[in-house]
Amino acid sequence: MAKASVSPSAEERLILTKKNRRWDEVRGRSLVTICAVIMIAATIAVTVFLAQKGLQSFTVNNINPIAYLTSANWNPTGGENASFGIFPFIFGSLAVTFLSALIAAPLGIGAAIFMSEIAPKFGKKVLQPVIELLVGIPSVVYGFIGLVVLVPLLRDNFPGIGFSLFAGVIVLTVMILPTVTTIATDAMRSLPNSLRQGSLALGATRWQTIRKVLIPAALPSLLTAIVLGMARAFGEALAVQMVIGNTRDIPGSIFDTAGTLTTIVTLNIGHTTYGSIENNTLWSMGLILLIISFLFIFVVRYLSGRRKI
Amino acid sequence: MKKMKLSVLLAMFALVIGVLAACGGNAGGNESEGDTSGNSNSGGGEASETSIVVAGSSAMQPLVAAAAEQYKGENADADIQVQAGGSGAGLSQVQEGSIQIGNSDVFAEEKEGIDAGTLVDHQVAVVGMTAAINPNAGVDDLTKQQLIDIFTGKVTNWSEVGGEDQEITLVNRPDSSGTRDTFVKYALDGETPAEGVTEDSSNTVKQIVADTDGAIGYLALSYFDDDTIVKSKIDGVEATNETIGSGDFPIWAYQHSYTNGEPEGLAKEFLDYMLSDEVQTTIVPDQGYVPMTEMKVERDAEGNITEK
């Protein structure tokens, strides 16, 4: 608050302060309320806009939604024979998401336990900054490293041409590992010390304490960490696009090329004209991404609700 | 206190409604513009004289950006912003009137949802493209039929077309991309390519073809500037400015700059500048495009070729 330049009498000062205080109250309160309202409005606006755009391919272009979701035939530029089936991309998105979570979960939770239980000092001083640094690396860098290092490596040592579901999974695993580790570490650290002490007092070893007491107690939070990691993997486009090959067939093995919802949208959206059927079907993919992301959030909310401690 | 709470709540409510209404209004506006675009012709004219925005085809962006740089050097008060974003976005935005010049690799007539009647086409250059082949495949000349067989998946090994015993890997472009459109139309005679790795950026395509044994893709001629990839002849004809200009080499496309209605002000001056000898003889060939002046044939939106 700016102070009056002439020093007022004590009485005046008191009145001023009182006024100021009330004014301050109102102002501060409105400020934060506006912030909250803008956020809510933005979320609602995006959802409404995406729903409106995304439903157009079904309402305006009369695409059968069931066929859209389940058909494996994607050929938007076929003219008369055009077909719009996005199942391969839904499959691709879910496949990279779950497979990368499968690898990242044990690694991330393991690192979290190491950081919180085994070597708290080293963990806090060295490991945590390193992991936080990893979060800050832009996804295009991960994608580029994937393209120039990982893809040739896979090409030389595994069947296929390097561009593959597997390459996408590895890039995503590295990307979501920091997210999983950071949240899992917070979860482990927030466990009350009485749990550890009680368990040790009963004669349990350190490992027994971790395995039988701490992990079960932190389980909902650990699952939340994994789901948030999956949400990030599911929404990632750029890095995956650079290594996965972006094909429209359902991959036969993890060394086959694949495509995901996000990569197909980013690859095609600039080339399509607004309002065309190709454009609308891409918006519908965006809507499906949003819906699945909402599902992830619901899972997180449900898990948080189950937290025991 | 209670009164205050109420007023804050009311203000909050009003704001939400306001924001939502604004968004809804916007969305509705876009939609109606798309539907009745034939009537809205005035979009381009509203722009101020000294500032224009050019957007669209990412393949054209370097060319137009270079020309704009040079133009700005000569006309200090001209403000020309050149953005990429894709041919479809360029055409849509110029039709809406949100930009003054929309760049496209393809004729507006070929894009769904664009009313080509309201747009004026300015062909500023020609881009040639050909198949890019990994050097280890041992092939540098393909007949058109072989090219079609390779890209439709009938031929899957280079030995079938006179090369090494290597499996063929296709590198495609996204479905609606202008490069793919051009290649499918003039190299594959409209046949749909079989599935392969799909990448948007020409540099990525080049790198994949260079690194992957047996890979074949397609690229604009400016990307064949080293020997990491083989520039394939088609039916024995090498792709050069001369063979494209004479119509002997079939795979090329105009680089279109569209305006909404006849261009005015800076947009017109800049387009005239793009077509001037100054740009056509320096920047255009430097960037790997064929100048309009070297074209002895012309092609209409249906693909019919006539002598000039």
Side-chain angles (χ1 to χ4, degrees):
Chain A
M1 249 343 281
K3 300 243 163 66
S5 49
V6 221
S7 59
S9 72
E11 197 187 355
E12 268 174 343
R13 212 162 51 221
L14 209 64
I15 295 170
L16 258 173
T17 335
K18 210 173 164 195
K19 240 191 206 157
N20 273 352
R21 218 183 255 166
R22 213 168 123 202
W23 190 216
D24 246 18
E25 233 7 67
V26 175
R27 247 206 323 217
R29 198 195 169 104
S30 355
L31 200 71
V32 290
T33 314
I34 288 171
C35 292
V37 171
I38 289 175
M39 280 199 62
I40 295 167
T43 312
I44 295 175
V46 167
T47 312
V48 169
F49 181 73
L50 202 53
Q52 189 209 14
K53 280 287 223 179
L55 290 174
Q56 270 180 5
S57 36
F58 311 122
T59 56
V60 178
N61 304 114
N62 293 320
I63 295 171
N64 181 349
I66 310 280
Y68 183 72
L69 290 175
T70 55
S71 160
N73 194 356
W74 173 254
N75 182 18
T77 50
E80 298 279 291
N81 309 317
S83 54
F84 302 92
I86 61 162
F87 182 72
F89 311 135
I90 298 179
F91 178 85
S93 277
L94 293 177
V96 289
T97 306
F98 280 99
L99 288 176
S100 56
L102 210 63
I103 305 176
L107 280 175
I109 292 174
I113 291 171
F114 177 81
M115 260 157 66
S116 61
E117 309 301 324
I118 311 291
K121 243 191 195 148
F122 173 78
K124 210 167 210 163
K125 273 201 179 136
V126 182
L127 215 48
Q128 195 161 18
V130 168
I131 286 168
E132 278 161 7
L133 205 71
L134 282 178
V135 183
I137 296 177
S139 57
V140 65
V141 175
Y142 284 112
F144 196 60
I145 294 173
L147 183 64
V148 297
V149 180
L150 183 64
V151 168
L153 200 75
L154 290 178
R155 183 167 47 222
D156 296 341
N157 298 307
F158 292 97
I161 55 165
F163 294 90
S164 56
L165 195 64
F166 190 51
V169 168
I170 292 180
V171 167
L172 281 178
T173 302
V174 178
M175 282 185 69
I176 67 172
L177 202 53
T179 312
V180 176
T181 313
T182 313
I183 301 173
T185 311
D186 286 346
M188 296 302 290
R189 284 215 182 110
S190 67
L191 292 175
N193 243 341
S194 54
L195 274 182
R196 296 184 185 93
Q197 286 158 355
S199 172
L200 293 173
L202 285 171
T205 63
R206 205 187 203 182
W207 183 242
Q208 281 171 329
T209 307
I210 292 170
R211 204 162 64 93
K212 295 271 167 94
V213 178
L214 299 181
I215 292 183
L219 196 60
S221 306
L222 296 180
L223 289 176
T224 304
I226 298 170
V227 175
L228 284 174
M230 284 168 70
R232 183 166 183 211
F234 189 72
E236 176 53 40
L238 206 56
V240 182
Q241 184 193 313
M242 292 168 89
V243 299
I244 202 168
N246 310 308
T247 49
R248 63 193 78 190
D249 298 331
I250 297 174
S253 83
I254 55 169
F255 299 113
D256 272 357
T257 53
T260 71
L261 291 168
T262 47
T263 63
I264 298 301
V265 172
T266 49
L267 271 180
N268 286 291
I269 197 93
H271 300 293
T272 60
T273 49
Y274 305 165
S276 65
I277 187 164
E278 291 140 282
N279 192 270
N280 286 344
T281 49
L282 294 178
W283 279 105
S284 304
M285 285 194 209
L287 181 63
I288 286 160
L289 279 168
L290 185 76
I291 292 171
I292 299 181
S293 298
F294 277 157
L295 289 182
F296 280 123
I297 304 292
F298 280 132
V299 172
V300 170
R301 306 291 304 179
Y302 172 72
L303 290 174
S304 317
R306 272 182 55 213
R307 206 177 294 160
K308 291 164 202 149
I309 297 154
Chain B
M1 213 48 201
K2 210 158 198 183
K3 222 174 176 183
M4 204 188 74
K5 227 177 201 169
L6 198 74
S7 66
V8 167
L9 210 73
L10 271 177
M12 192 169 122
F13 190 66
L15 200 77
V16 172
I17 296 292
V19 171
L20 277 184
C23 295
N26 246 342
N30 277 345
E31 202 177 46
S32 66
E33 230 170 325
D35 291 339
T36 62
S37 46
N39 307 330
S40 63
N41 216 339
S42 58
E46 284 164 25
S48 80
E49 286 275 301
T50 54
S51 161
I52 57 171
V53 179
V54 186
S57 161
S58 35
M60 273 176 79
Q61 201 231 3
L63 170 68
V64 181
E69 261 330 294
Q70 196 162 318
Y71 184 81
K72 280 189 275 190
E74 293 165 20
N75 303 274
D77 57 342
D79 178 20
I80 304 172
Q81 283 183 50
V82 185
Q83 302 163 354
S87 301
L91 286 170
S92 295
Q93 286 173 348
V94 77
Q95 181 149 45
E96 276 177 0
S98 51
I99 59 172
Q100 282 69 49
I101 298 175
N103 293 331
S104 171
D105 299 324
V106 294
F107 279 95
E109 284 85 347
E110 298 175 55
K111 283 279 184 188
E112 191 203 342
I114 293 295
D115 182 1
T118 63
L119 297 178
V120 180
D121 186 6
H122 309 270
Q123 295 163 353
V124 295
V126 164
V127 63
M129 52 185 85
T130 188
I133 306 173
N134 182 281
N136 299 337
V139 172
D140 65 352
D141 189 356
L142 290 167
T143 68
K144 208 167 181 187
Q145 192 52 49
Q146 284 173 332
L147 199 61
I148 295 174
D149 288 345
I150 288 170
F151 270 92
T152 52
K154 280 195 199 107
V155 168
T156 54
N157 195 302
W158 283 110
S159 59
E160 295 173 59
V161 291
E164 302 293 318
D165 180 22
Q166 278 179 0
E167 232 180 276
I168 296 176
T169 298
L170 299 181
V171 185
N172 275 321
R173 299 303 183 94
D175 288 304
S176 319
S177 109
T179 309
R180 178 173 171 137
D181 265 10
T182 306
F183 192 77
V184 165
K185 206 180 251 174
Y186 302 113
L188 305 184
D189 291 341
E191 299 278 341
T192 309
E195 232 357 58
V197 174
T198 308
E199 290 295 341
D200 199 9
S201 136
S202 296
N203 283 314
T204 314
V205 170
K206 182 176 174 180
Q207 197 185 348
I208 294 174
V209 172
D211 292 350
T212 313
D213 278 345
I216 180 172
Y218 39 93
L219 285 167
L221 297 185
S222 55
Y223 290 91
F224 295 91
D225 52 0
D226 52 32
D227 51 10
T228 59
I229 50 174
V230 173
K231 177 179 175 181
S232 172
K233 293 180 193 138
I234 308 291
D235 289 327
V237 182
E238 198 185 338
T240 62
N241 287 9
E242 289 71 42
T243 53
I244 291 171
S246 65
D248 291 333
F249 187 83
I251 317 168
W252 54 270
Y254 289 114
Q255 303 286 280
H256 307 264
S257 285
Y258 279 98
T259 53
N260 196 343
E262 284 300 329
E264 291 164 15
L266 182 58
K268 179 175 169 37
E269 278 163 39
F270 179 62
L271 286 172
D272 288 344
Y273 180 74
M274 286 288 298
L275 285 168
S276 69
D277 280 348
E278 190 182 347
V279 172
Q280 292 287 324
T281 56
T282 56
I283 299 178
V284 169
D286 286 353
Q287 297 273 343
Y289 297 87
V290 186
M292 290 306 290
T293 43
E294 285 190 27
M295 294 305 293
K296 297 181 187 67
V297 291
E298 57 187 4
R299 189 195 270 157
D300 63 15
E302 275 85 49
N304 304 314
I305 293 197
T306 46
E307 297 275 333
K308 237 189 213 173

